[in-house]
Amino acid sequence: MPLETYPDLDALQRFGVGAVLSDGLDSVEGFEEADGVGVDLVDFRVSTRSDGAAVLLSVDAPTLESAERTARQMVMGVLEASGILADWRVVRSEVQLHDDLVYESLMAADGPDAPSEDPMLRARGPLPEERARIERQAAGVRAFGLDAFGCDADTAQPDVPEEKARLAAGAVAASVGVLVDLLFTDLVNLRAEDGASFFVLDELPVQEEGFVRRFVVAAVEILGRLSGTGWAPPACFAEEMALRLLVDQGASMLERLGLYDDDVEAAFVTFSDAALEDPDSVELRLSDPGPEAWFEPIVPGRPVHAYLRAHRHEW
C-alpha cells in the first residue's frame, strides 16, 4: 500500500502505521460475502516501509478467488475504519495456495485425470509439472551440491541417480518456507485459550511460548544458511532438530506426490549426514539432551544466535 501524499515515513510514523494496521486486523475474525461464503482470518503480518506497508494475510477460504477478494476487502475495511489511513489504497494484491494444501487438493481432486487414491498407483504416475517445479528449486540449496544428496559427478555410477538427488534437494528447498510457516501458525495456535492442534510443536519437548519462540529463531537461523554459499553445522541441538524436521517435511511432500522411493530416501539420508557432520564435535550427541540444553552450544564457545542466549530463562 504505497503512499502518494506522504512518500517518506520516518521510523515513528512507520511504527504508528504498523500499530494501526495490526490493531485493526486483530479485531477482524472473518468476512462473509453476499452469497454467504465465509472466509476466516487465520493470521497476519504487517511490514512497514518508507513508502507504505505490506500486509500478508493467512485466510481459510473455499476458493482462491474468494480468498483474494475478501482479503482485499478486509484490508480496505481496516484502512477506512482507522480514519487516519482512510486515504490509503491497495495498489497490488496476490494470492498463493499453501504448498501443503496444493498437494492435498491434487490428491483429492476428482475427474478422469485425477491421481488415484491408491498410493501405489499414484507412485506410477506423478504429475510432471509438479516434479519439474520441485526439481527447479534444487538450486536454492546453495550451501550443498548434489554430491551431498548422493550424486557425485565424478563417479560413473553414483549412489543416487542425478534426477533423484535433484528431486530431494528441491524438496528440501521447497520445504523451508512451508516449515517456517507451520511454526508461525503453531505459535499462533499455542496462544489460543482452548486446546489447539499443531503441525510441528508436537515434536518439541516443551510447548511453552518462550521455548517455541526460541526454537523458531533457531530454525530460521540454520534454514537460512542453506541458501548461502558456505555451510556451518548446527550450533545447538535446536538447530539440529530444525534440520531433521525439514528433511521430514521434504519427505512428506514427495510421498504425497508419489515421488518417494528408495533412491530419494537414500538422498535424504546422505544429506542429513552431510548437514549434521561436525568435525569440531568430539563427543556423540544425545538424541535429545533435554529441553534445558536445546539452545546451548554443541561445541563450547561456538556462537549461537543472541536471542537464544538472551532469553534462556523465559520458559
Side-chain angles (χ1 to χ4, degrees), residues 216-301:
V216 173
V217 171
V220 171
E221 176 75 5
I222 193 164
L223 299 183
R225 296 207 292 271
L226 289 172
S227 61
T229 55
W231 176 251
C236 60
F237 184 79
E239 290 189 0
E240 181 175 312
M241 186 63 180
L243 274 177
R244 295 178 182 179
L245 291 174
L246 179 69
V247 172
D248 289 345
Q249 185 69 40
S252 296
M253 176 186 298
L254 296 184
E255 284 178 336
R256 284 191 293 270
L257 288 173
L259 294 170
Y260 192 86
D261 59 17
D262 290 342
D263 286 331
V264 170
E265 180 179 9
F268 281 131
V269 170
T270 304
F271 169 71
S272 296
D273 291 342
L276 297 175
E277 184 179 4
D278 191 347
D280 296 328
S281 181
V282 296
E283 296 182 1
L284 292 176
R285 279 166 285 178
L286 300 174
S287 58
D288 186 342
E292 69 281 354
W294 269 48
F295 308 103
E296 296 298 319
I298 290 175
V299 177

Side-chain angles (χ1 to χ4, degrees), residues 6 27 32-33 37 42 58 62 71 104 126 134 176 184 196 222 243 267 271 302 315:
Y6 312 103
S27 65
E32 185 171 324
E33 298 189 276
V37 174
V42 178
S58 176
E104 291 177 10
I134 294 174
V176 170
F184 279 123
I222 193 164
L243 274 177
F271 169 71
R302 175 175 292 173
W315 56 275

